[in-house]
Coordinates of all heavy atoms in Angstrom, one line a residue:
A1 N 0.8 -1.2 0.0 CA 0.0 0.0 0.0 C 0.9 1.2 0.0 O 2.0 1.2 0.5 CB -0.9 0.0 1.2
S2 N 0.3 2.3 -0.5 CA 1.1 3.5 -0.6 C 0.1 4.7 -0.4 O -1.1 4.5 -0.4 CB 1.8 3.7 -1.9 OG 0.9 4.0 -2.9
K3 N 0.6 5.9 -0.2 CA -0.2 7.1 -0.1 C 0.0 7.9 -1.3 O -0.2 9.1 -1.3 CB 0.2 7.8 1.2 CG -0.2 7.0 2.4 CD 0.2 7.9 3.7 CE -0.1 7.0 4.9 NZ 0.2 7.8 6.1
R4 N 0.4 7.3 -2.4 CA 0.6 8.1 -3.7 C -0.7 8.7 -4.1 O -1.8 8.1 -4.0 CB 1.1 7.2 -4.8 CG 2.6 6.9 -4.6 CD 3.1 6.1 -5.8 NE 3.9 5.1 -5.2 CZ 3.8 3.8 -5.5 NH1 2.9 3.4 -6.4 NH2 4.6 2.9 -5.0
Q5 N -0.6 9.9 -4.6 CA -1.8 10.6 -5.2 C -1.7 10.8 -6.7 O -0.6 10.9 -7.2 CB -2.0 12.0 -4.5 CG -2.4 11.8 -3.0 CD -2.9 13.1 -2.5 OE1 -3.4 14.0 -3.2 NE2 -2.9 13.2 -1.2
Y6 N -2.8 10.7 -7.3 CA -2.8 10.8 -8.8 C -3.7 12.0 -9.2 O -4.6 12.4 -8.4 CB -3.4 9.5 -9.4 CG -2.5 8.3 -9.1 CD1 -2.7 7.6 -7.9 CD2 -1.6 7.9 -10.0 CE1 -1.8 6.5 -7.6 CE2 -0.7 6.8 -9.7 CZ -0.9 6.1 -8.5 OH 0.0 5.1 -8.2
D7 N -3.4 12.5 -10.4 CA -4.2 13.6 -10.9 C -5.7 13.1 -10.9 O -6.0 12.0 -11.5 CB -3.7 13.9 -12.3 CG -4.4 15.1 -12.9 OD1 -5.6 15.3 -12.6 OD2 -3.8 15.8 -13.6
P8 N -6.6 13.9 -10.4 CA -8.0 13.5 -10.4 C -8.6 13.2 -11.8 O -9.5 12.4 -11.9 CB -8.7 14.7 -9.7 CG -7.7 15.4 -8.9 CD -6.4 15.2 -9.7
K9 N -8.0 13.8 -12.8 CA -8.5 13.5 -14.2 C -8.2 12.1 -14.6 O -8.8 11.6 -15.5 CB -7.8 14.5 -15.1 CG -8.1 15.9 -14.9 CD -7.3 16.8 -15.8 CE -7.5 18.3 -15.4 NZ -6.6 19.2 -16.0
M10 N -7.3 11.4 -13.9 CA -7.1 10.0 -14.2 C -8.2 9.0 -13.8 O -8.2 7.9 -14.2 CB -5.7 9.6 -13.6 CG -4.5 10.3 -14.2 SD -3.1 9.7 -13.3 CE -1.8 10.7 -14.1
G11 N -9.0 9.5 -12.9 CA -10.1 8.7 -12.5 C -9.8 7.5 -11.6 O -10.6 6.5 -11.5
V12 N -8.7 7.6 -10.8 CA -8.3 6.5 -9.9 C -9.4 6.2 -8.9 O -9.8 5.1 -8.6 CB -6.9 6.7 -9.3 CG1 -6.6 5.7 -8.3 CG2 -5.9 6.8 -10.4
A13 N -9.8 7.3 -8.2 CA -10.8 7.1 -7.1 C -12.1 6.5 -7.7 O -12.7 5.6 -7.1 CB -11.1 8.4 -6.4
A14 N -12.6 7.0 -8.8 CA -13.8 6.5 -9.4 C -13.6 5.0 -9.8 O -14.5 4.2 -9.6 CB -14.2 7.3 -10.6
R15 N -12.5 4.7 -10.3 CA -12.2 3.3 -10.6 C -12.2 2.4 -9.4 O -12.8 1.3 -9.4 CB -10.9 3.1 -11.4 CG -10.5 1.8 -11.9 CD -11.5 1.3 -12.9 NE -11.5 2.1 -14.1 CZ -11.5 1.6 -15.3 NH1 -11.5 0.3 -15.5 NH2 -11.5 2.4 -16.3
C16 N -11.6 2.9 -8.3 CA -11.6 2.1 -7.1 C -13.1 2.0 -6.5 O -13.4 0.9 -6.1 CB -10.8 2.8 -6.0 SG -10.5 1.9 -4.5
V17 N -13.9 3.0 -6.6 CA -15.3 2.9 -6.2 C -16.0 1.8 -7.0 O -16.7 1.0 -6.5 CB -16.0 4.3 -6.4 CG1 -17.5 4.1 -6.3 CG2 -15.5 5.2 -5.3
A18 N -15.8 1.8 -8.3 CA -16.4 0.8 -9.2 C -16.0 -0.6 -8.8 O -16.8 -1.5 -8.7 CB -16.0 1.1 -10.7
F19 N -14.7 -0.8 -8.5 CA -14.2 -2.1 -8.1 C -14.8 -2.5 -6.7 O -15.2 -3.7 -6.5 CB -12.7 -2.2 -8.0 CG -12.0 -2.1 -9.3 CD1 -10.8 -1.4 -9.5 CD2 -12.4 -2.8 -10.4 CE1 -10.1 -1.3 -10.7 CE2 -11.7 -2.8 -11.6 CZ -10.6 -2.1 -11.7
A20 N -14.9 -1.6 -5.8 CA -15.5 -1.8 -4.5 C -17.0 -2.2 -4.7 O -17.5 -3.1 -4.0 CB -15.4 -0.6 -3.6
Q21 N -17.7 -1.4 -5.5 CA -19.1 -1.7 -5.8 C -19.3 -3.1 -6.4 O -20.2 -3.8 -6.1 CB -19.8 -0.7 -6.7 CG -19.9 0.6 -5.9 CD -20.4 1.8 -6.8 OE1 -20.3 1.7 -8.0 NE2 -20.9 2.8 -6.1
G22 N -18.3 -3.5 -7.2 CA -18.3 -4.8 -7.8 C -18.2 -5.9 -6.8 O -18.6 -7.1 -7.0
E23 N -17.6 -5.6 -5.6 CA -17.5 -6.5 -4.5 C -18.7 -6.4 -3.6 O -18.7 -7.1 -2.5 CB -16.2 -6.1 -3.7 CG -14.9 -6.5 -4.4 CD -14.6 -7.9 -4.4 OE1 -15.2 -8.7 -3.5 OE2 -13.8 -8.4 -5.2
G24 N -19.7 -5.6 -3.9 CA -20.9 -5.5 -3.1 C -20.8 -4.5 -2.0 O -21.7 -4.4 -1.1
L25 N -19.8 -3.6 -2.1 CA -19.7 -2.5 -1.0 C -20.4 -1.3 -1.5 O -20.5 -1.0 -2.7 CB -18.2 -2.3 -0.7 CG -17.4 -3.4 -0.2 CD1 -16.0 -3.0 0.0 CD2 -18.0 -3.9 1.1
I26 N -20.8 -0.5 -0.5 CA -21.3 0.9 -0.8 C -20.2 1.8 -0.4 O -19.9 2.0 0.8 CB -22.6 1.1 -0.1 CG1 -23.7 0.1 -0.5 CG2 -23.1 2.6 -0.3 CD1 -24.9 0.2 0.3
V27 N -19.6 2.4 -1.3 CA -18.5 3.4 -1.0 C -18.7 4.6 -1.9 O -19.4 4.6 -2.9 CB -17.1 2.8 -1.3 CG1 -16.8 1.6 -0.4 CG2 -16.9 2.4 -2.7
R28 N -18.0 5.7 -1.6 CA -18.0 6.9 -2.4 C -16.7 7.5 -2.3 O -16.0 7.4 -1.3 CB -19.1 7.8 -2.0 CG -19.1 8.3 -0.6 CD -20.4 9.1 -0.3 NE -20.4 9.3 1.2 CZ -20.0 10.4 1.7 NH1 -19.5 11.4 1.0 NH2 -20.1 10.6 3.1
A29 N -16.3 8.2 -3.4 CA -15.0 8.9 -3.5 C -15.2 10.3 -2.8 O -16.2 11.0 -3.0 CB -14.6 9.1 -4.9
L30 N -14.2 10.6 -2.0 CA -14.1 11.9 -1.4 C -12.9 12.7 -2.0 O -12.1 12.1 -2.7 CB -13.9 11.8 0.1 CG -15.0 11.0 0.9 CD1 -14.6 10.9 2.3 CD2 -16.3 11.7 0.7
A31 N -12.8 14.0 -1.7 CA -11.7 14.8 -2.1 C -10.3 14.2 -1.6 O -10.3 13.6 -0.5 CB -11.8 16.2 -1.7
G32 N -9.3 14.3 -2.4 CA -8.0 13.9 -1.9 C -7.8 12.4 -2.0 O -7.0 11.8 -1.3
H33 N -8.5 11.7 -2.9 CA -8.3 10.3 -3.2 C -8.6 9.5 -1.9 O -8.0 8.5 -1.6 CB -6.9 9.9 -3.7 CG -6.6 10.6 -5.0 ND1 -7.1 10.1 -6.1 CD2 -5.8 11.7 -5.3 CE1 -6.6 10.8 -7.1 NE2 -5.9 11.8 -6.6
R34 N -9.6 9.9 -1.2 CA -10.1 9.1 -0.1 C -11.4 8.4 -0.4 O -12.1 8.9 -1.3 CB -10.3 10.0 1.1 CG -9.0 10.7 1.6 CD -9.3 11.6 2.8 NE -8.1 12.2 3.2 CZ -7.8 13.5 3.1 NH1 -8.7 14.3 2.6 NH2 -6.7 14.0 3.5
L35 N -11.7 7.3 0.3 CA -12.9 6.6 0.1 C -13.7 6.7 1.4 O -13.1 6.5 2.5 CB -12.7 5.2 -0.3 CG -12.1 4.9 -1.6 CD1 -11.9 3.4 -1.8 CD2 -12.9 5.5 -2.8
A36 N -15.0 6.8 1.3 CA -15.9 6.7 2.4 C -16.6 5.4 2.3 O -17.2 5.1 1.2 CB -16.9 7.8 2.4
V37 N -16.5 4.5 3.3 CA -17.1 3.2 3.3 C -18.4 3.4 4.1 O -18.4 4.0 5.2 CB -16.2 2.1 3.9 CG1 -16.9 0.8 4.0 CG2 -14.9 2.0 3.2
C38 N -19.5 2.9 3.5 CA -20.8 3.1 4.1 C -21.4 1.7 4.5 O -22.2 1.2 3.8 CB -21.7 3.8 3.1 SG -21.1 5.3 2.5
P39 N -20.9 1.2 5.7 CA -21.4 -0.1 6.1 C -22.9 0.0 6.6 O -23.4 1.1 6.9 CB -20.5 -0.5 7.2 CG -20.0 0.8 7.8 CD -20.0 1.8 6.6
L40 N -23.5 -1.1 6.7 CA -24.8 -1.1 7.3 C -24.8 -0.6 8.8 O -23.7 -0.7 9.4 CB -25.3 -2.6 7.4 CG -25.4 -3.3 6.0 CD1 -25.8 -4.8 6.2 CD2 -26.5 -2.6 5.2
L41 N -25.9 -0.1 9.3 CA -25.9 0.4 10.6 C -25.8 -0.7 11.6 O -25.3 -0.5 12.7 CB -27.2 1.2 10.9 CG -27.3 2.5 10.1 CD1 -28.6 3.2 10.3 CD2 -26.1 3.5 10.4
I42 N -26.2 -1.9 11.3 CA -26.1 -3.0 12.2 C -25.2 -4.0 11.4 O -25.6 -4.5 10.4 CB -27.5 -3.7 12.5 CG1 -28.4 -2.6 13.2 CG2 -27.3 -4.9 13.3 CD1 -29.8 -3.1 13.3
I43 N -24.0 -4.3 12.0 CA -23.1 -5.1 11.3 C -22.4 -6.0 12.4 O -22.0 -5.5 13.5 CB -22.1 -4.3 10.5 CG1 -21.2 -5.1 9.6 CG2 -21.3 -3.3 11.4 CD1 -20.5 -4.4 8.6
A44 N -22.2 -7.2 12.1 CA -21.6 -8.2 13.0 C -20.1 -8.2 12.8 O -19.6 -7.8 11.7 CB -22.2 -9.6 12.8
P45 N -19.3 -8.6 13.8 CA -17.8 -8.6 13.6 C -17.4 -9.4 12.4 O -16.5 -9.0 11.7 CB -17.4 -9.3 14.9 CG -18.4 -8.9 15.9 CD -19.7 -8.9 15.2
A46 N -18.0 -10.5 12.1 CA -17.6 -11.3 10.9 C -17.9 -10.5 9.7 O -17.2 -10.7 8.7 CB -18.4 -12.7 10.9
E47 N -19.0 -9.8 9.7 CA -19.3 -8.9 8.5 C -18.3 -7.8 8.3 O -18.0 -7.4 7.2 CB -20.7 -8.4 8.6 CG -21.8 -9.4 8.5 CD -23.2 -8.9 8.9 OE1 -23.3 -8.2 9.9 OE2 -24.1 -9.3 8.2
I48 N -17.8 -7.3 9.4 CA -16.7 -6.3 9.3 C -15.5 -6.9 8.7 O -14.9 -6.3 7.8 CB -16.4 -5.7 10.7 CG1 -17.6 -4.9 11.2 CG2 -15.2 -4.8 10.6 CD1 -17.5 -4.5 12.6
D49 N -15.1 -8.1 9.1 CA -14.0 -8.8 8.5 C -14.2 -9.0 7.0 O -13.3 -8.7 6.2 CB -13.7 -10.1 9.1 CG -13.2 -10.0 10.6 OD1 -12.8 -8.9 10.9 OD2 -13.3 -11.0 11.3
A50 N -15.4 -9.4 6.6 CA -15.7 -9.6 5.2 C -15.7 -8.3 4.4 O -15.2 -8.2 3.3 CB -17.1 -10.2 5.0
L51 N -16.1 -7.2 5.0 CA -16.1 -5.8 4.4 C -14.6 -5.5 4.1 O -14.3 -5.1 3.0 CB -16.7 -4.8 5.4 CG -16.7 -3.4 4.9 CD1 -17.9 -2.6 5.5 CD2 -15.5 -2.6 5.2
F52 N -13.7 -5.7 5.0 CA -12.3 -5.4 4.8 C -11.7 -6.3 3.8 O -10.8 -5.9 3.0 CB -11.5 -5.3 6.1 CG -11.8 -4.0 6.9 CD1 -12.6 -4.1 8.0 CD2 -11.3 -2.8 6.4 CE1 -12.8 -2.9 8.7 CE2 -11.6 -1.6 7.1 CZ -12.3 -1.7 8.2
D53 N -12.1 -7.6 3.8 CA -11.6 -8.5 2.7 C -12.0 -8.0 1.4 O -11.2 -7.9 0.4 CB -12.1 -9.9 3.0 CG -11.5 -10.6 4.2 OD1 -10.5 -10.1 4.6 OD2 -12.1 -11.6 4.6
R54 N -13.3 -7.6 1.2 CA -13.8 -7.1 -0.1 C -13.1 -5.8 -0.4 O -12.7 -5.6 -1.6 CB -15.3 -6.9 0.0 CG -16.0 -8.1 0.1 CD -17.5 -7.9 0.3 NE -18.3 -9.1 0.3 CZ -19.6 -9.2 0.3 NH1 -20.3 -8.0 0.2 NH2 -20.2 -10.3 0.4
L55 N -12.9 -4.9 0.5 CA -12.2 -3.6 0.3 C -10.8 -3.9 -0.1 O -10.3 -3.2 -1.1 CB -12.3 -2.7 1.5 CG -11.7 -1.3 1.3 CD1 -12.4 -0.5 0.2 CD2 -11.8 -0.5 2.6
G56 N -10.1 -4.8 0.5 CA -8.8 -5.1 0.1 C -8.7 -5.6 -1.3 O -7.8 -5.3 -2.0
R57 N -9.6 -6.5 -1.7 CA -9.6 -6.9 -3.1 C -9.9 -5.8 -4.1 O -9.2 -5.7 -5.1 CB -10.7 -8.0 -3.3 CG -10.3 -9.4 -2.7 CD -11.2 -10.5 -3.1 NE -12.6 -10.3 -2.8 CZ -13.2 -10.7 -1.7 NH1 -12.5 -11.4 -0.8 NH2 -14.5 -10.5 -1.4
A58 N -10.7 -4.8 -3.7 CA -11.0 -3.7 -4.6 C -9.7 -2.8 -4.7 O -9.4 -2.3 -5.8 CB -12.2 -2.9 -4.0
L59 N -9.0 -2.6 -3.6 CA -7.8 -1.9 -3.6 C -6.7 -2.6 -4.4 O -6.0 -1.9 -5.2 CB -7.3 -1.6 -2.2 CG -8.2 -0.6 -1.4 CD1 -7.7 -0.6 0.1 CD2 -8.2 0.8 -1.9
D60 N -6.7 -3.9 -4.3 CA -5.7 -4.6 -5.1 C -6.0 -4.5 -6.6 O -5.1 -4.3 -7.4 CB -5.7 -6.1 -4.7 CG -5.1 -6.4 -3.4 OD1 -4.4 -5.5 -2.8 OD2 -5.3 -7.5 -2.8
R61 N -7.3 -4.6 -6.9 CA -7.7 -4.4 -8.4 C -7.4 -3.0 -8.8 O -7.0 -2.8 -10.0 CB -9.2 -4.7 -8.5 CG -9.4 -6.2 -8.4 CD -10.9 -6.6 -8.7 NE -11.1 -6.3 -10.1 CZ -12.4 -6.2 -10.6 NH1 -13.4 -6.3 -9.8 NH2 -12.5 -6.0 -11.9
T62 N -7.5 -2.0 -8.0 CA -7.2 -0.6 -8.4 C -5.7 -0.5 -8.6 O -5.3 0.1 -9.6 CB -7.6 0.3 -7.3 OG1 -9.0 0.2 -7.0 CG2 -7.3 1.8 -7.6
R63 N -4.9 -1.1 -7.7 CA -3.4 -1.1 -7.9 C -3.1 -1.8 -9.2 O -2.3 -1.2 -10.0 CB -2.8 -1.8 -6.7 CG -1.2 -1.8 -6.9 CD -0.6 -3.0 -6.0 NE -1.2 -4.2 -6.5 CZ -1.5 -5.2 -5.6 NH1 -1.3 -5.1 -4.3 NH2 -2.1 -6.3 -6.0
D64 N -3.7 -2.9 -9.5 CA -3.4 -3.6 -10.8 C -3.8 -2.8 -12.0 O -3.1 -2.8 -13.0 CB -4.1 -5.0 -10.8 CG -3.6 -5.9 -9.7 OD1 -2.5 -5.7 -9.1 OD2 -4.3 -6.9 -9.4
W65 N -4.9 -2.1 -11.9 CA -5.4 -1.2 -13.0 C -4.4 -0.1 -13.2 O -4.1 0.2 -14.3 CB -6.8 -0.7 -12.7 CG -7.3 0.2 -13.7 CD1 -7.8 0.0 -14.9 CD2 -7.3 1.7 -13.6 NE1 -8.1 1.1 -15.5 CE2 -7.9 2.2 -14.7 CE3 -7.0 2.6 -12.5 CZ2 -8.1 3.5 -14.9 CZ3 -7.1 3.9 -12.7 CH2 -7.7 4.4 -13.9
I66 N -3.9 0.5 -12.1 CA -3.0 1.6 -12.2 C -1.7 1.2 -12.9 O -1.2 1.8 -13.8 CB -2.6 2.2 -10.8 CG1 -3.8 3.0 -10.2 CG2 -1.4 3.1 -10.8 CD1 -3.7 3.3 -8.8
R67 N -1.2 0.0 -12.5 CA 0.0 -0.6 -13.2 C -0.3 -0.9 -14.6 O 0.6 -0.6 -15.5 CB 0.4 -1.8 -12.4 CG 1.0 -1.5 -11.1 CD 1.4 -2.8 -10.4 NE 2.0 -2.5 -9.1 CZ 2.2 -3.4 -8.1 NH1 1.8 -4.6 -8.3 NH2 2.7 -3.0 -7.0
A68 N -1.4 -1.5 -15.0 CA -1.7 -1.8 -16.3 C -1.9 -0.6 -17.2 O -1.5 -0.6 -18.4 CB -3.0 -2.7 -16.4
E69 N -2.4 0.5 -16.7 CA -2.6 1.7 -17.4 C -1.3 2.6 -17.4 O -1.2 3.6 -18.0 CB -3.7 2.5 -16.8 CG -5.1 1.9 -17.0 CD -5.5 1.8 -18.4 OE1 -5.3 2.8 -19.1 OE2 -6.0 0.7 -18.8
R70 N -0.3 2.1 -16.6 CA 1.0 2.8 -16.4 C 0.8 4.3 -16.0 O 1.4 5.2 -16.5 CB 1.8 2.8 -17.7 CG 2.3 1.4 -18.0 CD 3.2 1.4 -19.2 NE 3.9 0.2 -19.4 CZ 3.5 -0.9 -20.1 NH1 2.3 -0.8 -20.8 NH2 4.2 -2.0 -20.2
L71 N -0.1 4.5 -15.0 CA -0.4 5.8 -14.5 C 0.8 6.2 -13.5 O 1.3 5.4 -12.8 CB -1.7 5.8 -13.7 CG -2.9 5.4 -14.5 CD1 -4.2 5.5 -13.6 CD2 -3.1 6.3 -15.7
E72 N 1.1 7.5 -13.6 CA 2.2 8.0 -12.7 C 1.5 8.9 -11.6 O 0.7 9.7 -11.9 CB 3.1 8.9 -13.6 CG 3.9 8.1 -14.6 CD 4.9 7.1 -14.0 OE1 5.5 7.4 -13.0 OE2 5.1 6.0 -14.6
A73 N 2.0 8.7 -10.4 CA 1.6 9.5 -9.3 C 2.1 11.0 -9.5 O 3.1 11.2 -10.2 CB 2.1 9.0 -8.0
V74 N 1.4 11.9 -8.9 CA 1.8 13.3 -8.9 C 3.1 13.4 -8.1 O 3.1 13.0 -7.0 CB 0.7 14.2 -8.3 CG1 1.2 15.7 -8.3 CG2 -0.6 14.1 -9.1
P75 N 4.2 13.9 -8.8 CA 5.5 14.0 -8.0 C 5.4 14.8 -6.8 O 4.8 15.9 -6.8 CB 6.4 14.6 -9.1 CG 5.8 14.4 -10.4 CD 4.3 14.4 -10.1
G76 N 6.0 14.3 -5.7 CA 6.1 15.1 -4.5 C 4.8 15.1 -3.7 O 4.8 15.8 -2.7
R77 N 3.8 14.3 -4.0 CA 2.6 14.3 -3.3 C 2.3 12.9 -2.8 O 1.8 12.1 -3.5 CB 1.4 14.8 -4.1 CG 1.6 16.3 -4.5 CD 0.4 16.8 -5.1 NE -0.8 16.7 -4.3 CZ -2.0 16.9 -4.7 NH1 -2.3 17.1 -6.0 NH2 -3.1 16.7 -3.9
D78 N 2.7 12.7 -1.5 CA 2.5 11.3 -1.0 C 1.3 11.2 -0.2 O 1.1 10.2 0.5 CB 3.7 11.0 0.0 CG 5.0 10.8 -0.8 OD1 4.9 10.4 -2.0 OD2 6.1 11.1 -0.3
G79 N 0.4 12.2 -0.2 CA -0.9 12.0 0.5 C -0.8 12.6 1.9 O 0.3 13.0 2.4
P80 N -1.9 12.6 2.6 CA -1.9 13.2 3.9 C -1.2 12.4 4.9 O -1.1 11.2 4.8 CB -3.4 13.2 4.2 CG -4.0 12.1 3.4 CD -3.2 12.1 2.2
R81 N -0.7 13.0 5.9 CA 0.0 12.3 7.0 C -1.1 12.0 8.0 O -1.9 12.8 8.5 CB 1.0 13.2 7.7 CG 2.2 13.6 6.8 CD 3.0 12.3 6.5 NE 4.1 12.7 5.5 CZ 4.3 12.0 4.4 NH1 3.5 11.0 4.1 NH2 5.2 12.3 3.6
C82 N -1.2 10.7 8.3 CA -2.3 10.2 9.2 C -1.7 9.6 10.4 O -0.6 9.0 10.4 CB -3.2 9.2 8.5 SG -4.0 9.9 7.0
P83 N -2.5 9.6 11.5 CA -2.0 8.9 12.7 C -2.1 7.4 12.5 O -2.6 6.9 11.5 CB -3.1 9.3 13.8 CG -4.3 9.7 13.0 CD -3.8 10.2 11.7
A84 N -1.4 6.7 13.4 CA -1.5 5.2 13.3 C -2.9 4.7 13.2 O -3.8 5.2 13.8 CB -0.8 4.6 14.6
G85 N -3.1 3.7 12.3 CA -4.4 3.2 12.1 C -4.8 2.0 12.8 O -4.1 1.5 13.7
L86 N -6.0 1.5 12.6 CA -6.5 0.3 13.2 C -6.2 -0.9 12.3 O -6.3 -0.7 11.0 CB -8.0 0.4 13.3 CG -8.5 1.6 14.1 CD1 -10.1 1.7 14.0 CD2 -8.1 1.5 15.6
M87 N -5.9 -2.0 12.8 CA -5.6 -3.2 12.0 C -6.8 -4.1 12.0 O -7.2 -4.6 13.1 CB -4.3 -3.9 12.5 CG -3.9 -5.1 11.7 SD -3.3 -4.7 10.1 CE -1.6 -4.1 10.5
A88 N -7.4 -4.3 10.9 CA -8.5 -5.3 10.8 C -7.9 -6.7 10.8 O -6.7 -6.9 10.5 CB -9.2 -5.0 9.5
P89 N -8.7 -7.7 11.2 CA -8.2 -9.1 11.2 C -7.6 -9.5 9.8 O -6.7 -10.3 9.8 CB -9.4 -9.9 11.5 CG -10.2 -8.9 12.3 CD -10.0 -7.6 11.7
S90 N -8.0 -8.9 8.7 CA -7.5 -9.3 7.4 C -6.1 -8.7 7.2 O -5.5 -9.1 6.2 CB -8.5 -8.7 6.3 OG -8.5 -7.3 6.4
G91 N -5.6 -7.8 8.1 CA -4.3 -7.3 7.9 C -4.3 -5.9 7.3 O -3.3 -5.2 7.2
L92 N -5.5 -5.4 6.8 CA -5.6 -4.1 6.2 C -5.6 -3.0 7.3 O -6.3 -3.1 8.3 CB -6.9 -4.1 5.4 CG -7.2 -2.8 4.6 CD1 -6.2 -2.7 3.5 CD2 -8.6 -2.8 4.1
T93 N -4.8 -2.0 7.1 CA -4.8 -0.9 8.1 C -5.7 0.2 7.7 O -5.7 0.6 6.5 CB -3.3 -0.4 8.2 OG1 -2.4 -1.4 8.6 CG2 -3.2 0.8 9.2
V94 N -6.5 0.6 8.6 CA -7.5 1.7 8.4 C -7.1 2.9 9.3 O -7.0 2.7 10.5 CB -8.9 1.2 8.7 CG1 -9.9 2.3 8.5 CG2 -9.2 0.0 7.8
N95 N -7.0 4.0 8.7 CA -6.7 5.2 9.5 C -8.0 6.0 9.6 O -8.5 6.6 8.6 CB -5.6 6.1 8.8 CG -4.3 5.4 8.8 OD1 -3.9 4.9 9.8 ND2 -3.6 5.4 7.7
P96 N -8.6 6.1 10.8 CA -9.9 6.8 10.9 C -9.7 8.3 10.6 O -8.7 8.9 10.9 CB -10.2 6.7 12.4 CG -9.4 5.5 12.9 CD -8.2 5.4 12.0
G97 N -10.6 8.7 9.7 CA -10.5 10.1 9.3 C -9.5 10.3 8.1 O -9.4 11.4 7.6
C98 N -8.7 9.3 7.8 CA -7.8 9.5 6.7 C -8.0 8.5 5.6 O -7.2 8.4 4.7 CB -6.4 9.2 7.3 SG -5.9 10.5 8.5
V99 N -9.1 7.8 5.6 CA -9.3 6.7 4.6 C -10.1 7.4 3.4 O -10.9 8.2 3.6 CB -10.2 5.6 5.2 CG1 -10.5 4.6 4.1 CG2 -9.4 4.9 6.3

């Protein structure tokens, strides 16, 4: 994982949203290449694990798409500095307020 940022015209966030929706997630793109995940209001711990598994697959597909398209990150922009995040059982790190 990285905090690289891409020119918004490249559509990276929109592509990631599409991949996440393909995994059955409800997400939306926010400014600064962030995603808002919109889980159900009532969600069990196992469902949270499944959510992060699905999100991880969507992020992997986004990374693969970026590589296949040979997109270049904006030089000198590594993204926002965020505090230490939460580690989901799947191993995916989530930074509250920075995702």
Side-chain angles (χ1 to χ4, degrees):
S2 75
K3 294 181 183 179
R4 287 186 220 126
Q5 291 196 21
Y6 297 85
D7 185 324
K9 295 175 190 167
M10 294 178 182
V12 174
R15 184 63 63 137
C16 187
V17 166
F19 289 140
Q21 289 174 342
E23 289 285 340
L25 298 177
I26 300 172
V27 299
R28 58 190 170 93
L30 302 175
H33 297 285
R34 295 182 181 111
L35 294 179
V37 179
C38 307
L40 301 172
L41 293 176
I42 300 172
I43 189 167
E47 293 170 316
I48 293 171
D49 292 344
L51 181 149
F52 283 108
D53 289 342
R54 291 175 178 190
L55 182 59
R57 287 193 298 270
L59 292 171
D60 288 345
R61 289 186 65 197
T62 303
R63 179 202 57 220
D64 295 344
W65 175 78
I66 288 169
R67 288 178 180 166
E69 295 292 317
R70 293 187 166 92
L71 301 180
E72 296 290 330
V74 176
R77 293 188 60 196
D78 291 331
R81 298 289 178 233
C82 298
L86 304 172
M87 182 70 75
S90 63
L92 182 67
T93 301
V94 179
N95 293 314
C98 297
V99 177

